Amino acid sequence: MEFRPCIDIHNGKVKQIVGGSLKDEGDFADENFVSVQDAVFYANLYRRKKQKGGHIILLNAPESTYYEETKRQALLALQAYPGGLQVGGGITADNAAEFLEHGASAVIVTSYVFQDGRINYENLEKLKSLGRKHLVLDLSCRYRSGAGEAGYYIVTDRWQKFTDERVTPELLDELSAYCSEFLVHAVDVEGKAGGIEKPLVQLLGEWGKIPVTYAGGVHSFHDLSSIAELGKGRLNVTIGSALDLFGGPMPYGEVIEFIDRQNKGR
């Protein structure tokens, strides 16, 4: 189990938002925290702490008037910590190389691979040229119990659109052949700091064949203990709104120490 730090950028600023509130129209999101610091500040902090594998997420669509400033912040952060951070948000086979050249250890892809509700295998094949070690697939998902089988379904386009792809061990097996890691935001609880999606954590932990980072709802050290237990020590974790770096109650240093103790106890 590792702690994976994050830098979420929206409208050119580092923020923590309520995940399900994000809208392209009007570049709107319910905000939990807006930092006075830029993305480089956080990249330098994570570099000094020697924490790798964190992720930068660009939360504006490429069509947004804010996108270029959001992208600029991301590129500067990557340059501040070369090889230490992953980057996602609007990544395609056409622009992935630019982010890798600016220092990203890997690119994180969702919407480009999941289109029209299904896996786009043509686009997935195009990403092969990056090398498996440079590709992380974002399987951010929301629970749905209506049409079809109940479960966690992958959502795309900044978590606004449901696909028909349900997160199952079989899907994880299939997609793991293309990537080095999965990033999974539990969107229904993302940014709400009200508790984790335990069934999702358990599903991911029981699979556990390549690194998986879970995000969503962590708001206490009890949540971290649950992730360690239900995830069988296999899941990495990121914390947003609940972390003191983003105005929350959980001290960054204590989180790192807590996870270190969990690992030593296994």
Side-chain angles (χ1 to χ4, degrees):
M1 184 177 184
E2 298 177 3
F3 179 69
R4 296 292 183 86
C6 65
I7 305 173
D8 294 345
I9 310 173
H10 183 245
N11 295 356
K13 295 183 179 181
V14 176
K15 295 183 182 180
Q16 286 295 311
I17 68 167
V18 178
S21 73
L22 190 61
K23 300 288 187 295
D24 286 344
E25 185 178 354
D27 295 297
F28 172 81
D30 287 334
E31 299 169 345
N32 287 326
F33 177 83
V34 180
S35 179
V36 297
Q37 305 289 351
D38 62 9
V40 171
F41 169 86
Y42 292 96
N44 283 329
L45 174 62
Y46 303 149
R47 177 177 54 80
R48 289 195 299 270
K49 295 292 185 179
K50 298 181 180 179
Q51 288 195 292
K52 292 192 173 183
H55 53 274
I56 301 171
I57 302 295
L58 289 72
L59 293 173
N60 290 105
E63 300 78 23
S64 167
T65 56
Y66 291 99
Y67 177 77
E68 288 304 319
E69 178 57 22
T70 291
K71 178 182 174 182
R72 187 183 74 85
Q73 286 278 326
L75 294 179
L76 288 172
L78 292 173
Q79 291 172 315
Y81 191 10
L85 295 164
Q86 305 165 358
V87 64
I91 303 294
T92 70
D94 295 325
N95 65 9
E98 178 183 6
F99 290 97
L100 293 172
E101 289 165 2
H102 277 79
S105 61
V107 292
I108 305 166
V109 182
T110 310
S111 300
Y112 182 70
V113 168
F114 298 94
Q115 294 187 341
D116 300 319
R118 307 296 299 178
I119 299 171
N120 186 315
Y121 286 97
E122 181 179 352
N123 285 349
L124 196 54
E125 289 292 329
K126 288 178 182 178
L127 293 167
K128 272 190 172 181
S129 63
L130 302 175
R132 184 171 173 265
K133 68 178 182 178
H134 293 306
L135 179 61
V136 175
L137 288 180
D138 185 337
L139 306 185
S140 294
C141 53
R142 306 181 77 166
Y143 188 82
R144 186 170 65 183
S145 59
E149 191 169 356
Y152 292 94
Y153 285 81
I154 295 169
V155 289
T156 65
D157 299 279
R158 287 153 304 285
W159 308 329
Q160 297 171 51
K161 295 180 181 178
F162 272 99
T163 71
D164 297 325
E165 301 292 347
R166 186 166 58 93
V167 179
T168 63
E170 293 74 21
L171 182 71
L172 297 172
D173 282 340
E174 179 180 2
L175 294 177
S176 65
Y178 294 88
C179 64
S180 59
E181 296 187 27
F182 292 123
L183 172 63
V184 183
H185 289 86
V187 176
D188 288 327
V189 296
E190 175 72 20
K192 297 179 180 179
I196 62 174
E197 288 273 18
K198 290 184 178 180
L200 178 60
V201 169
Q202 186 168 4
L203 184 159
L204 297 171
E206 288 177 350
W207 182 76
K209 296 180 182 179
I210 66 171
V212 179
T213 296
Y214 170 85
V218 177
H219 77 303
S220 68
F221 288 96
H222 177 72
D223 284 331
L224 288 182
S225 293
S226 295
I227 291 171
E229 180 181 352
L230 295 172
K232 302 183 184 300
R234 296 169 175 166
L235 296 186
N236 302 320
V237 62
T238 189
I239 304 173
S241 300
L243 202 64
D244 64 349
L245 297 179
F246 306 115
M250 298 179 70
Y252 173 55
E254 291 183 23
V255 167
I256 297 171
E257 292 172 2
F258 183 90
I259 291 174
D260 285 344
R261 289 196 300 270
Q262 289 286 321
N263 292 335
K264 289 176 182 176
R266 297 195 71 84

